[in-house]
Amino acid sequence: WKEHKEFEGKTLAEVAELKGVDPFNLTFDLIIKKESPELVDLSMSDKDVCNVIKHRLSMVGSDGWALAPYGVLGEKKTHPRSYGTCPRILGKYVREEKVLTLENAIRKMTSFPVQKLGLRDRGMIREGTWADLVVFNPKTVIDKATYEDPHRYPQGIEYVLVNGEIVIEER
């Protein structure tokens, strides 16, 4: 909906109200017209998230975009987890709510998913693997992005290394 910046950041119900139409009809009009605005799905409650992430078979991942709060990558609204899926788990669900232990959360973000995918050279710190590392402060790590202001970097991330090279360094 590049031509409808006024709808950016609004719910489907809010857009329907602005257009003076029923939200149900608007949804199907979009499908029929094959228009595909980017939508943020709010289908899970916090209780649902807690139940899912503490399940022994759950893993942490993101379908977020690689973005920046400046330039062309910061022009449109996005889901706040594009900037902070893992910091949210570490800050909210580990430190604040104690839904997971730090060790289990790290496992669900690293070695567990790569083992499931059959990747042998990532997800663990050991000789012969790629050095993909995130150095963070467990006392301060948290996501800062919101639905209203999604282009905000998390706090508490001190370094990010990809293949042994520092790509992010907090100053």
Side-chain angles (χ1 to χ4, degrees), residues 14 20 50 58 60 65 76 85 103 113 118 123 128 130 149 157-158:
E14 290 169 333
C50 289
S58 74
V60 176
W65 300 79
K76 59 184 176 179
T85 298
E103 295 80 7
W130 292 99
D149 187 11
I157 305 292
E158 298 174 6

Side-chain angles (χ1 to χ4, degrees), residues 41-128:
D41 184 7
L42 304 172
S43 62
M44 289 181 70
S45 70
D46 200 49
K47 183 179 177 187
D48 292 337
V49 172
C50 289
N51 285 331
V52 169
I53 65 172
K54 67 184 177 185
H55 190 279
R56 67 180 183 83
L57 296 177
S58 74
M59 297 175 237
V60 176
S62 174
D63 61 352
W65 300 79
L67 299 169
Y70 51 84
V72 70
L73 296 176
E75 288 180 358
K76 59 184 176 179
K77 295 275 187 177
T78 186
H79 195 290
R81 265 8 119 235
S82 288
Y83 283 86
T85 298
C86 293
R88 182 165 186 85
I89 297 290
L90 296 170
K92 180 177 173 68
Y93 298 108
V94 171
R95 184 181 62 246
E96 294 173 5
E97 298 187 12
K98 299 182 182 4
V99 175
L100 296 172
T101 64
L102 179 60
E103 295 80 7
N104 195 21
I106 298 298
R107 179 184 153 275
K108 287 173 174 280
M109 296 174 192
T110 59
S111 63
F112 192 26
V114 299
Q115 287 170 350
K116 188 72 173 169
L117 292 170
L119 304 173
R120 300 191 194 293
D121 59 354
R122 301 212 180 253
M124 297 189 76
I125 301 171
R126 66 174 177 224
E127 191 172 332

